Amino acid sequence: MSNIADNIEHLERQLPEGVKLVAVSKYHPVEVVQEAYDAGQRIFGENKVQELVAKAPQLPNDIQWHMIGHLQTNKVRMLMPHVAMIQSIDSIKLLRTVEKEAARIDRTVDVLLQLHVAREETKSGFAVGELLAALAVNELDNCPHVRVRGLMAMATNTDDQQQIEKEFQLVADTFRLIKEEFYPDDAAFDQISMGMSDDWQLAVKHGATLVRVGSAIFGPRQY
Ligand SMILES: *Cc1c(COP(=O)(O)O)cnc(C)c1O
């Protein structure tokens, strides 16, 4: 068995039922993605539109591609035919563009709203208060081609475990609040995407349903 297959099996063994693995294949060639696919992996994450769009047609079409990186509105059109879920909705303007482009090709697309909970200002996403305010004034309404499935977040890149746990807990609390307030009868609002190679265990402890793992599956990236 290949290393990649081993790594996936090892992760799957530790993930509780109901938590799905997103294999983050950015910077890794299609041959490597195929290896993971052959090991049974079906959900893959990419952080650049160009790369996702280049890889998708070369690989089996039952792969679910998740866009996990910052998305510019002018790239939504080329992404739309290939993507199963856009995890990185970080503005109302982007959500509106996704709605428009999904409608244009007559499809519905799953999305997550990205929350900014990390210390780094460079990371994108809605501030908690900003997202609650937008929801309260119905800014996310009238998007029939978009299915809001939940929240996505990245923790601060730090060794301080308590800090990371605090951030994951904030995401979980915000998810619960939004669910109760705005999606009480919507069974599809059920996903929390958080946790990467170094912190997915902590994310699972705080309620993640999707973990995004790259280097722990594929090894270091070649930039
Ligand atoms: C690269 C990336 C990951 C995976 O990172 P690893 O540390 O390699 O597991 C997860 N989420 C996002 C948004 C990423 O860009």
Side-chain angles (χ1 to χ4, degrees), residues 22-28 45-47 67-70 87-88 114 152-154 193 195-200 211-221 223:
V22 180
V24 178
S25 49
K26 64 191 188 195
Y27 294 95
H28 293 288
E46 290 283 341
N47 71 336
M67 177 64 190
I68 62 171
H70 178 63
Q87 294 202 5
S88 44
Q114 185 173 356
M152 182 272 226
M154 288 172 95
S193 171
M196 323 200 316
S197 291
D198 290 335
D199 58 15
W200 66 263
V211 293
R212 309 179 308 267
V213 178
S215 34
I217 296 173
F218 298 110
R221 290 178 278 273
Y223 294 105

PDB file of all heavy atoms in Angstrom, residues 22-28 45-47 67-70 87-88 114 152-154 193 195-200 211-221 223, ligand 1:
ATOM      1  N   VAL A  22     -11.590  16.057   3.992  1.00  0.00           N
ATOM      2  CA  VAL A  22     -11.322  16.768   2.739  1.00  0.00           C
ATOM      3  C   VAL A  22      -9.817  16.687   2.514  1.00  0.00           C
ATOM      4  O   VAL A  22      -9.034  17.219   3.307  1.00  0.00           O
ATOM      5  CB  VAL A  22     -11.765  18.246   2.827  1.00  0.00           C
ATOM      6  CG1 VAL A  22     -11.470  18.977   1.511  1.00  0.00           C
ATOM      7  CG2 VAL A  22     -13.240  18.357   3.188  1.00  0.00           C
ATOM      8  N   ALA A  23      -9.408  15.994   1.462  1.00  0.00           N
ATOM      9  CA  ALA A  23      -7.977  15.851   1.173  1.00  0.00           C
ATOM     10  C   ALA A  23      -7.514  17.082   0.395  1.00  0.00           C
ATOM     11  O   ALA A  23      -7.968  17.319  -0.724  1.00  0.00           O
ATOM     12  CB  ALA A  23      -7.728  14.585   0.366  1.00  0.00           C
ATOM     13  N   VAL A  24      -6.648  17.873   1.010  1.00  0.00           N
ATOM     14  CA  VAL A  24      -6.222  19.132   0.386  1.00  0.00           C
ATOM     15  C   VAL A  24      -5.035  18.852  -0.538  1.00  0.00           C
ATOM     16  O   VAL A  24      -3.924  18.593  -0.087  1.00  0.00           O
ATOM     17  CB  VAL A  24      -5.881  20.192   1.448  1.00  0.00           C
ATOM     18  CG1 VAL A  24      -5.390  21.473   0.781  1.00  0.00           C
ATOM     19  CG2 VAL A  24      -7.106  20.481   2.316  1.00  0.00           C
ATOM     20  N   SER A  25      -5.325  18.884  -1.844  1.00  0.00           N
ATOM     21  CA  SER A  25      -4.362  18.424  -2.845  1.00  0.00           C
ATOM     22  C   SER A  25      -3.624  19.559  -3.541  1.00  0.00           C
ATOM     23  O   SER A  25      -2.914  19.324  -4.524  1.00  0.00           O
ATOM     24  CB  SER A  25      -5.085  17.550  -3.865  1.00  0.00           C
ATOM     25  OG  SER A  25      -6.274  18.177  -4.329  1.00  0.00           O
ATOM     26  N   LYS A  26      -3.757  20.774  -3.041  1.00  0.00           N
ATOM     27  CA  LYS A  26      -3.095  21.922  -3.681  1.00  0.00           C
ATOM     28  C   LYS A  26      -1.596  21.669  -3.826  1.00  0.00           C
ATOM     29  O   LYS A  26      -0.968  21.116  -2.914  1.00  0.00           O
ATOM     30  CB  LYS A  26      -3.350  23.189  -2.866  1.00  0.00           C
ATOM     31  CG  LYS A  26      -2.769  23.170  -1.470  1.00  0.00           C
ATOM     32  CD  LYS A  26      -3.298  24.330  -0.636  1.00  0.00           C
ATOM     33  CE  LYS A  26      -2.553  24.416   0.688  1.00  0.00           C
ATOM     34  NZ  LYS A  26      -3.228  25.262   1.667  1.00  0.00           N
ATOM     35  N   TYR A  27      -1.069  22.080  -4.971  1.00  0.00           N
ATOM     36  CA  TYR A  27       0.354  21.936  -5.314  1.00  0.00           C
ATOM     37  C   TYR A  27       0.782  20.490  -5.578  1.00  0.00           C
ATOM     38  O   TYR A  27       1.941  20.234  -5.855  1.00  0.00           O
ATOM     39  CB  TYR A  27       1.285  22.551  -4.249  1.00  0.00           C
ATOM     40  CG  TYR A  27       1.162  24.035  -4.138  1.00  0.00           C
ATOM     41  CD1 TYR A  27       0.325  24.611  -3.179  1.00  0.00           C
ATOM     42  CD2 TYR A  27       1.857  24.882  -5.000  1.00  0.00           C
ATOM     43  CE1 TYR A  27       0.184  25.987  -3.075  1.00  0.00           C
ATOM     44  CE2 TYR A  27       1.725  26.256  -4.903  1.00  0.00           C
ATOM     45  CZ  TYR A  27       0.883  26.803  -3.942  1.00  0.00           C
ATOM     46  OH  TYR A  27       0.751  28.160  -3.840  1.00  0.00           O
ATOM     47  N   HIS A  28      -0.144  19.546  -5.495  1.00  0.00           N
ATOM     48  CA  HIS A  28       0.212  18.160  -5.794  1.00  0.00           C
ATOM     49  C   HIS A  28      -0.372  17.769  -7.155  1.00  0.00           C
ATOM     50  O   HIS A  28      -1.509  18.111  -7.460  1.00  0.00           O
ATOM     51  CB  HIS A  28      -0.303  17.222  -4.698  1.00  0.00           C
ATOM     52  CG  HIS A  28       0.385  17.433  -3.383  1.00  0.00           C
ATOM     53  ND1 HIS A  28       1.686  17.049  -3.150  1.00  0.00           N
ATOM     54  CD2 HIS A  28      -0.038  18.048  -2.254  1.00  0.00           C
ATOM     55  CE1 HIS A  28       2.024  17.382  -1.908  1.00  0.00           C
ATOM     56  NE2 HIS A  28       1.000  17.994  -1.342  1.00  0.00           N
ATOM     57  N   GLY A  45      -9.826  19.195  -1.726  1.00  0.00           N
ATOM     58  CA  GLY A  45      -9.856  20.645  -1.557  1.00  0.00           C
ATOM     59  C   GLY A  45      -8.712  21.305  -2.293  1.00  0.00           C
ATOM     60  O   GLY A  45      -7.578  20.817  -2.265  1.00  0.00           O
ATOM     61  N   GLU A  46      -9.020  22.418  -2.961  1.00  0.00           N
ATOM     62  CA  GLU A  46      -7.999  23.220  -3.642  1.00  0.00           C
ATOM     63  C   GLU A  46      -8.195  24.668  -3.225  1.00  0.00           C
ATOM     64  O   GLU A  46      -9.315  25.092  -2.946  1.00  0.00           O
ATOM     65  CB  GLU A  46      -8.157  23.106  -5.167  1.00  0.00           C
ATOM     66  CG  GLU A  46      -7.790  21.733  -5.732  1.00  0.00           C
ATOM     67  CD  GLU A  46      -6.272  21.505  -5.826  1.00  0.00           C
ATOM     68  OE1 GLU A  46      -5.501  22.489  -5.801  1.00  0.00           O
ATOM     69  OE2 GLU A  46      -5.872  20.316  -5.911  1.00  0.00           O
ATOM     70  N   ASN A  47      -7.106  25.442  -3.227  1.00  0.00           N
ATOM     71  CA  ASN A  47      -7.259  26.836  -2.811  1.00  0.00           C
ATOM     72  C   ASN A  47      -7.090  27.832  -3.957  1.00  0.00           C
ATOM     73  O   ASN A  47      -7.160  29.033  -3.738  1.00  0.00           O
ATOM     74  CB  ASN A  47      -6.319  27.171  -1.645  1.00  0.00           C
ATOM     75  CG  ASN A  47      -4.880  27.237  -2.059  1.00  0.00           C
ATOM     76  OD1 ASN A  47      -4.494  26.622  -3.070  1.00  0.00           O
ATOM     77  ND2 ASN A  47      -4.063  27.959  -1.316  1.00  0.00           N
ATOM     78  N   MET A  67     -13.712  24.194  -3.049  1.00  0.00           N
ATOM     79  CA  MET A  67     -12.860  25.386  -3.109  1.00  0.00           C
ATOM     80  C   MET A  67     -12.684  25.884  -1.680  1.00  0.00           C
ATOM     81  O   MET A  67     -13.659  26.177  -0.989  1.00  0.00           O
ATOM     82  CB  MET A  67     -13.548  26.449  -3.988  1.00  0.00           C
ATOM     83  CG  MET A  67     -12.804  27.756  -4.063  1.00  0.00           C
ATOM     84  SD  MET A  67     -11.187  27.550  -4.863  1.00  0.00           S
ATOM     85  CE  MET A  67     -10.471  29.158  -4.500  1.00  0.00           C
ATOM     86  N   ILE A  68     -11.419  25.962  -1.228  1.00  0.00           N
ATOM     87  CA  ILE A  68     -11.179  26.320   0.180  1.00  0.00           C
ATOM     88  C   ILE A  68     -10.365  27.601   0.325  1.00  0.00           C
ATOM     89  O   ILE A  68     -10.127  28.056   1.441  1.00  0.00           O
ATOM     90  CB  ILE A  68     -10.471  25.167   0.946  1.00  0.00           C
ATOM     91  CG1 ILE A  68      -9.096  24.861   0.346  1.00  0.00           C
ATOM     92  CG2 ILE A  68     -11.346  23.917   0.958  1.00  0.00           C
ATOM     93  CD1 ILE A  68      -8.270  23.892   1.190  1.00  0.00           C
ATOM     94  N   GLY A  69      -9.941  28.197  -0.812  1.00  0.00           N
ATOM     95  CA  GLY A  69      -9.123  29.409  -0.737  1.00  0.00           C
ATOM     96  C   GLY A  69      -9.921  30.649  -1.100  1.00  0.00           C
ATOM     97  O   GLY A  69     -11.038  30.551  -1.620  1.00  0.00           O
ATOM     98  N   HIS A  70      -9.346  31.794  -0.846  1.00  0.00           N
ATOM     99  CA  HIS A  70     -10.003  33.056  -1.185  1.00  0.00           C
ATOM    100  C   HIS A  70     -10.389  33.061  -2.662  1.00  0.00           C
ATOM    101  O   HIS A  70      -9.589  32.709  -3.526  1.00  0.00           O
ATOM    102  CB  HIS A  70      -9.084  34.235  -0.867  1.00  0.00           C
ATOM    103  CG  HIS A  70      -9.690  35.553  -1.253  1.00  0.00           C
ATOM    104  ND1 HIS A  70     -10.839  36.029  -0.674  1.00  0.00           N
ATOM    105  CD2 HIS A  70      -9.329  36.454  -2.191  1.00  0.00           C
ATOM    106  CE1 HIS A  70     -11.156  37.188  -1.234  1.00  0.00           C
ATOM    107  NE2 HIS A  70     -10.259  37.462  -2.154  1.00  0.00           N
ATOM    108  N   GLN A  87     -16.217  26.575   0.084  1.00  0.00           N
ATOM    109  CA  GLN A  87     -16.141  26.708   1.551  1.00  0.00           C
ATOM    110  C   GLN A  87     -15.768  28.133   1.972  1.00  0.00           C
ATOM    111  O   GLN A  87     -15.857  28.462   3.147  1.00  0.00           O
ATOM    112  CB  GLN A  87     -15.078  25.753   2.112  1.00  0.00           C
ATOM    113  CG  GLN A  87     -15.402  24.289   1.943  1.00  0.00           C
ATOM    114  CD  GLN A  87     -14.643  23.419   2.937  1.00  0.00           C
ATOM    115  OE1 GLN A  87     -13.935  23.907   3.826  1.00  0.00           O
ATOM    116  NE2 GLN A  87     -14.778  22.106   2.797  1.00  0.00           N
ATOM    117  N   SER A  88     -15.338  28.934   1.014  1.00  0.00           N
ATOM    118  CA  SER A  88     -14.674  30.199   1.355  1.00  0.00           C
ATOM    119  C   SER A  88     -15.479  31.423   0.949  1.00  0.00           C
ATOM    120  O   SER A  88     -14.943  32.374   0.403  1.00  0.00           O
ATOM    121  CB  SER A  88     -13.295  30.220   0.688  1.00  0.00           C
ATOM    122  OG  SER A  88     -13.382  29.756  -0.665  1.00  0.00           O
ATOM    123  N   GLN A 114     -17.344  31.650   5.513  1.00  0.00           N
ATOM    124  CA  GLN A 114     -16.055  31.615   6.205  1.00  0.00           C
ATOM    125  C   GLN A 114     -16.011  32.660   7.314  1.00  0.00           C
ATOM    126  O   GLN A 114     -16.246  33.839   7.084  1.00  0.00           O
ATOM    127  CB  GLN A 114     -14.901  31.848   5.217  1.00  0.00           C
ATOM    128  CG  GLN A 114     -13.554  31.687   5.887  1.00  0.00           C
ATOM    129  CD  GLN A 114     -12.377  31.740   4.915  1.00  0.00           C
ATOM    130  OE1 GLN A 114     -12.571  31.824   3.693  1.00  0.00           O
ATOM    131  NE2 GLN A 114     -11.173  31.702   5.440  1.00  0.00           N
ATOM    132  N   MET A 152     -17.121  27.728   7.855  1.00  0.00           N
ATOM    133  CA  MET A 152     -15.733  27.288   7.686  1.00  0.00           C
ATOM    134  C   MET A 152     -14.827  28.274   8.408  1.00  0.00           C
ATOM    135  O   MET A 152     -15.146  29.460   8.479  1.00  0.00           O
ATOM    136  CB  MET A 152     -15.394  27.256   6.194  1.00  0.00           C
ATOM    137  CG  MET A 152     -13.991  26.780   5.879  1.00  0.00           C
ATOM    138  SD  MET A 152     -12.727  28.067   5.851  1.00  0.00           S
ATOM    139  CE  MET A 152     -11.886  27.648   4.342  1.00  0.00           C
ATOM    140  N   ALA A 153     -13.724  27.777   8.976  1.00  0.00           N
ATOM    141  CA  ALA A 153     -12.780  28.687   9.623  1.00  0.00           C
ATOM    142  C   ALA A 153     -11.396  28.073   9.697  1.00  0.00           C
ATOM    143  O   ALA A 153     -11.225  26.853   9.579  1.00  0.00           O
ATOM    144  CB  ALA A 153     -13.264  29.031  11.036  1.00  0.00           C
ATOM    145  N   MET A 154     -10.421  28.940   9.849  1.00  0.00           N
ATOM    146  CA  MET A 154      -9.031  28.537  10.090  1.00  0.00           C
ATOM    147  C   MET A 154      -8.601  29.131  11.424  1.00  0.00           C
ATOM    148  O   MET A 154      -8.848  30.301  11.687  1.00  0.00           O
ATOM    149  CB  MET A 154      -8.106  29.129   9.032  1.00  0.00           C
ATOM    150  CG  MET A 154      -8.235  28.511   7.666  1.00  0.00           C
ATOM    151  SD  MET A 154      -7.268  29.466   6.469  1.00  0.00           S
ATOM    152  CE  MET A 154      -5.754  28.521   6.491  1.00  0.00           C
ATOM    153  N   SER A 193     -16.589  23.262   8.948  1.00  0.00           N
ATOM    154  CA  SER A 193     -15.305  22.871   8.374  1.00  0.00           C
ATOM    155  C   SER A 193     -14.197  23.574   9.127  1.00  0.00           C
ATOM    156  O   SER A 193     -14.047  24.798   9.034  1.00  0.00           O
ATOM    157  CB  SER A 193     -15.254  23.245   6.890  1.00  0.00           C
ATOM    158  OG  SER A 193     -13.946  23.049   6.374  1.00  0.00           O
ATOM    159  N   GLY A 195     -10.018  22.674  11.062  1.00  0.00           N
ATOM    160  CA  GLY A 195      -8.978  21.709  11.382  1.00  0.00           C
ATOM    161  C   GLY A 195      -8.175  21.347  10.151  1.00  0.00           C
ATOM    162  O   GLY A 195      -8.733  21.099   9.085  1.00  0.00           O
ATOM    163  N   MET A 196      -6.846  21.385  10.300  1.00  0.00           N
ATOM    164  CA  MET A 196      -5.908  21.024   9.239  1.00  0.00           C
ATOM    165  C   MET A 196      -4.951  19.964   9.812  1.00  0.00           C
ATOM    166  O   MET A 196      -5.215  19.397  10.862  1.00  0.00           O
ATOM    167  CB  MET A 196      -5.163  22.273   8.757  1.00  0.00           C
ATOM    168  CG  MET A 196      -6.051  23.515   8.742  1.00  0.00           C
ATOM    169  SD  MET A 196      -5.525  24.897   7.702  1.00  0.00           S
ATOM    170  CE  MET A 196      -3.804  25.047   8.015  1.00  0.00           C
ATOM    171  N   SER A 197      -3.859  19.688   9.104  1.00  0.00           N
ATOM    172  CA  SER A 197      -2.979  18.587   9.526  1.00  0.00           C
ATOM    173  C   SER A 197      -2.565  18.678  10.994  1.00  0.00           C
ATOM    174  O   SER A 197      -2.514  17.662  11.687  1.00  0.00           O
ATOM    175  CB  SER A 197      -1.725  18.562   8.655  1.00  0.00           C
ATOM    176  OG  SER A 197      -2.061  18.162   7.348  1.00  0.00           O
ATOM    177  N   ASP A 198      -2.261  19.893  11.466  1.00  0.00           N
ATOM    178  CA  ASP A 198      -1.711  20.020  12.818  1.00  0.00           C
ATOM    179  C   ASP A 198      -2.765  20.178  13.904  1.00  0.00           C
ATOM    180  O   ASP A 198      -2.430  20.113  15.092  1.00  0.00           O
ATOM    181  CB  ASP A 198      -0.764  21.228  12.888  1.00  0.00           C
ATOM    182  CG  ASP A 198       0.506  20.970  12.097  1.00  0.00           C
ATOM    183  OD1 ASP A 198       0.868  19.787  11.923  1.00  0.00           O
ATOM    184  OD2 ASP A 198       1.129  21.953  11.652  1.00  0.00           O
ATOM    185  N   ASP A 199      -3.996  20.476  13.514  1.00  0.00           N
ATOM    186  CA  ASP A 199      -4.978  20.766  14.572  1.00  0.00           C
ATOM    187  C   ASP A 199      -6.342  20.100  14.355  1.00  0.00           C
ATOM    188  O   ASP A 199      -7.317  20.467  15.000  1.00  0.00           O
ATOM    189  CB  ASP A 199      -5.130  22.289  14.753  1.00  0.00           C
ATOM    190  CG  ASP A 199      -5.567  23.007  13.484  1.00  0.00           C
ATOM    191  OD1 ASP A 199      -6.027  22.338  12.536  1.00  0.00           O
ATOM    192  OD2 ASP A 199      -5.443  24.254  13.445  1.00  0.00           O
ATOM    193  N   TRP A 200      -6.407  19.104  13.482  1.00  0.00           N
ATOM    194  CA  TRP A 200      -7.728  18.529  13.196  1.00  0.00           C
ATOM    195  C   TRP A 200      -8.315  17.807  14.410  1.00  0.00           C
ATOM    196  O   TRP A 200      -9.533  17.790  14.585  1.00  0.00           O
ATOM    197  CB  TRP A 200      -7.703  17.630  11.959  1.00  0.00           C
ATOM    198  CG  TRP A 200      -6.891  16.387  12.081  1.00  0.00           C
ATOM    199  CD1 TRP A 200      -5.613  16.217  11.651  1.00  0.00           C
ATOM    200  CD2 TRP A 200      -7.291  15.145  12.680  1.00  0.00           C
ATOM    201  NE1 TRP A 200      -5.182  14.954  11.952  1.00  0.00           N
ATOM    202  CE2 TRP A 200      -6.185  14.270  12.574  1.00  0.00           C
ATOM    203  CE3 TRP A 200      -8.451  14.685  13.288  1.00  0.00           C
ATOM    204  CZ2 TRP A 200      -6.230  12.960  13.070  1.00  0.00           C
ATOM    205  CZ3 TRP A 200      -8.495  13.394  13.781  1.00  0.00           C
ATOM    206  CH2 TRP A 200      -7.391  12.546  13.662  1.00  0.00           C
ATOM    207  N   VAL A 211     -12.915  18.045   8.053  1.00  0.00           N
ATOM    208  CA  VAL A 211     -11.537  18.468   8.355  1.00  0.00           C
ATOM    209  C   VAL A 211     -10.770  18.531   7.045  1.00  0.00           C
ATOM    210  O   VAL A 211     -10.961  17.705   6.161  1.00  0.00           O
ATOM    211  CB  VAL A 211     -10.835  17.540   9.376  1.00  0.00           C
ATOM    212  CG1 VAL A 211     -11.489  17.661  10.744  1.00  0.00           C
ATOM    213  CG2 VAL A 211     -10.836  16.088   8.913  1.00  0.00           C
ATOM    214  N   ARG A 212      -9.933  19.558   6.905  1.00  0.00           N
ATOM    215  CA  ARG A 212      -9.213  19.801   5.646  1.00  0.00           C
ATOM    216  C   ARG A 212      -7.737  19.475   5.850  1.00  0.00           C
ATOM    217  O   ARG A 212      -6.993  20.244   6.434  1.00  0.00           O
ATOM    218  CB  ARG A 212      -9.378  21.262   5.232  1.00  0.00           C
ATOM    219  CG  ARG A 212     -10.826  21.767   5.201  1.00  0.00           C
ATOM    220  CD  ARG A 212     -10.869  23.233   4.813  1.00  0.00           C
ATOM    221  NE  ARG A 212      -9.989  24.059   5.640  1.00  0.00           N
ATOM    222  CZ  ARG A 212     -10.365  24.684   6.738  1.00  0.00           C
ATOM    223  NH1 ARG A 212     -11.613  24.609   7.172  1.00  0.00           N
ATOM    224  NH2 ARG A 212      -9.493  25.392   7.430  1.00  0.00           N
ATOM    225  N   VAL A 213      -7.332  18.305   5.369  1.00  0.00           N
ATOM    226  CA  VAL A 213      -5.991  17.820   5.681  1.00  0.00           C
ATOM    227  C   VAL A 213      -5.162  17.668   4.405  1.00  0.00           C
ATOM    228  O   VAL A 213      -5.558  16.948   3.483  1.00  0.00           O
ATOM    229  CB  VAL A 213      -6.072  16.478   6.437  1.00  0.00           C
ATOM    230  CG1 VAL A 213      -4.672  15.951   6.723  1.00  0.00           C
ATOM    231  CG2 VAL A 213      -6.856  16.639   7.739  1.00  0.00           C
ATOM    232  N   GLY A 214      -4.033  18.365   4.357  1.00  0.00           N
ATOM    233  CA  GLY A 214      -3.142  18.290   3.200  1.00  0.00           C
ATOM    234  C   GLY A 214      -1.869  17.529   3.499  1.00  0.00           C
ATOM    235  O   GLY A 214      -1.725  16.353   3.143  1.00  0.00           O
ATOM    236  N   SER A 215      -0.934  18.179   4.175  1.00  0.00           N
ATOM    237  CA  SER A 215       0.401  17.589   4.329  1.00  0.00           C
ATOM    238  C   SER A 215       0.417  16.266   5.087  1.00  0.00           C
ATOM    239  O   SER A 215       1.273  15.422   4.824  1.00  0.00           O
ATOM    240  CB  SER A 215       1.371  18.601   4.943  1.00  0.00           C
ATOM    241  OG  SER A 215       0.734  19.430   5.856  1.00  0.00           O
ATOM    242  N   ALA A 216      -0.536  16.042   5.980  1.00  0.00           N
ATOM    243  CA  ALA A 216      -0.558  14.768   6.703  1.00  0.00           C
ATOM    244  C   ALA A 216      -0.986  13.612   5.792  1.00  0.00           C
ATOM    245  O   ALA A 216      -0.816  12.448   6.146  1.00  0.00           O
ATOM    246  CB  ALA A 216      -1.478  14.845   7.922  1.00  0.00           C
ATOM    247  N   ILE A 217      -1.514  13.932   4.615  1.00  0.00           N
ATOM    248  CA  ILE A 217      -1.821  12.891   3.624  1.00  0.00           C
ATOM    249  C   ILE A 217      -0.740  12.818   2.551  1.00  0.00           C
ATOM    250  O   ILE A 217      -0.208  11.759   2.252  1.00  0.00           O
ATOM    251  CB  ILE A 217      -3.183  13.167   2.938  1.00  0.00           C
ATOM    252  CG1 ILE A 217      -4.325  13.084   3.948  1.00  0.00           C
ATOM    253  CG2 ILE A 217      -3.411  12.178   1.787  1.00  0.00           C
ATOM    254  CD1 ILE A 217      -5.680  13.521   3.384  1.00  0.00           C
ATOM    255  N   PHE A 218      -0.413  13.994   1.998  1.00  0.00           N
ATOM    256  CA  PHE A 218       0.419  14.034   0.790  1.00  0.00           C
ATOM    257  C   PHE A 218       1.883  14.362   1.062  1.00  0.00           C
ATOM    258  O   PHE A 218       2.697  14.352   0.146  1.00  0.00           O
ATOM    259  CB  PHE A 218      -0.138  15.071  -0.194  1.00  0.00           C
ATOM    260  CG  PHE A 218      -1.533  14.770  -0.678  1.00  0.00           C
ATOM    261  CD1 PHE A 218      -2.613  15.550  -0.272  1.00  0.00           C
ATOM    262  CD2 PHE A 218      -1.770  13.704  -1.522  1.00  0.00           C
ATOM    263  CE1 PHE A 218      -3.896  15.282  -0.718  1.00  0.00           C
ATOM    264  CE2 PHE A 218      -3.050  13.419  -1.977  1.00  0.00           C
ATOM    265  CZ  PHE A 218      -4.118  14.205  -1.572  1.00  0.00           C
ATOM    266  N   GLY A 219       2.222  14.692   2.307  1.00  0.00           N
ATOM    267  CA  GLY A 219       3.569  15.143   2.603  1.00  0.00           C
ATOM    268  C   GLY A 219       3.717  16.625   2.287  1.00  0.00           C
ATOM    269  O   GLY A 219       2.745  17.287   1.933  1.00  0.00           O
ATOM    270  N   PRO A 220       4.948  17.141   2.422  1.00  0.00           N
ATOM    271  CA  PRO A 220       5.152  18.582   2.206  1.00  0.00           C
ATOM    272  C   PRO A 220       4.851  18.998   0.766  1.00  0.00           C
ATOM    273  O   PRO A 220       5.035  18.208  -0.160  1.00  0.00           O
ATOM    274  CB  PRO A 220       6.634  18.802   2.534  1.00  0.00           C
ATOM    275  CG  PRO A 220       7.241  17.456   2.625  1.00  0.00           C
ATOM    276  CD  PRO A 220       6.184  16.436   2.781  1.00  0.00           C
ATOM    277  N   ARG A 221       4.364  20.238   0.605  1.00  0.00           N
ATOM    278  CA  ARG A 221       4.067  20.754  -0.737  1.00  0.00           C
ATOM    279  C   ARG A 221       5.319  21.303  -1.400  1.00  0.00           C
ATOM    280  O   ARG A 221       6.173  21.875  -0.737  1.00  0.00           O
ATOM    281  CB  ARG A 221       3.008  21.864  -0.640  1.00  0.00           C
ATOM    282  CG  ARG A 221       1.644  21.360  -0.262  1.00  0.00           C
ATOM    283  CD  ARG A 221       0.629  22.471  -0.133  1.00  0.00           C
ATOM    284  NE  ARG A 221       0.684  23.153   1.155  1.00  0.00           N
ATOM    285  CZ  ARG A 221       0.023  22.754   2.244  1.00  0.00           C
ATOM    286  NH1 ARG A 221      -0.710  21.673   2.226  1.00  0.00           N
ATOM    287  NH2 ARG A 221       0.125  23.437   3.371  1.00  0.00           N
ATOM    288  N   TYR A 223       6.504  24.104  -3.587  1.00  0.00           N
ATOM    289  CA  TYR A 223       6.037  25.392  -4.124  1.00  0.00           C
ATOM    290  C   TYR A 223       6.886  25.832  -5.318  1.00  0.00           C
ATOM    291  O   TYR A 223       8.033  25.488  -5.417  1.00  0.00           O
ATOM    292  CB  TYR A 223       6.079  26.461  -3.036  1.00  0.00           C
ATOM    293  CG  TYR A 223       5.104  26.205  -1.913  1.00  0.00           C
ATOM    294  CD1 TYR A 223       5.545  25.732  -0.680  1.00  0.00           C
ATOM    295  CD2 TYR A 223       3.741  26.372  -2.112  1.00  0.00           C
ATOM    296  CE1 TYR A 223       4.649  25.469   0.350  1.00  0.00           C
ATOM    297  CE2 TYR A 223       2.849  26.106  -1.079  1.00  0.00           C
ATOM    298  CZ  TYR A 223       3.302  25.664   0.144  1.00  0.00           C
ATOM    299  OH  TYR A 223       2.407  25.409   1.140  1.00  0.00           O
TER     300      TYR A 223
HETATM  301  C1  LIG B   1      -3.599  24.322   2.683  1.00  0.00           C
HETATM  302  C2  LIG B   1      -4.867  24.399   3.437  1.00  0.00           C
HETATM  303  C3  LIG B   1      -5.238  23.361   4.314  1.00  0.00           C
HETATM  304  C4  LIG B   1      -4.399  22.135   4.588  1.00  0.00           C
HETATM  305  O1  LIG B   1      -3.224  22.451   5.256  1.00  0.00           O
HETATM  306  P1  LIG B   1      -2.276  21.293   5.866  1.00  0.00           P
HETATM  307  O2  LIG B   1      -1.584  21.966   6.987  1.00  0.00           O
HETATM  308  O3  LIG B   1      -1.343  20.899   4.766  1.00  0.00           O
HETATM  309  O4  LIG B   1      -3.134  20.183   6.307  1.00  0.00           O
HETATM  310  C5  LIG B   1      -6.458  23.487   4.968  1.00  0.00           C
HETATM  311  N1  LIG B   1      -7.268  24.560   4.774  1.00  0.00           N
HETATM  312  C6  LIG B   1      -6.940  25.560   3.934  1.00  0.00           C
HETATM  313  C7  LIG B   1      -7.875  26.707   3.784  1.00  0.00           C
HETATM  314  C8  LIG B   1      -5.728  25.516   3.247  1.00  0.00           C
HETATM  315  O5  LIG B   1      -5.409  26.529   2.435  1.00  0.00           O
END
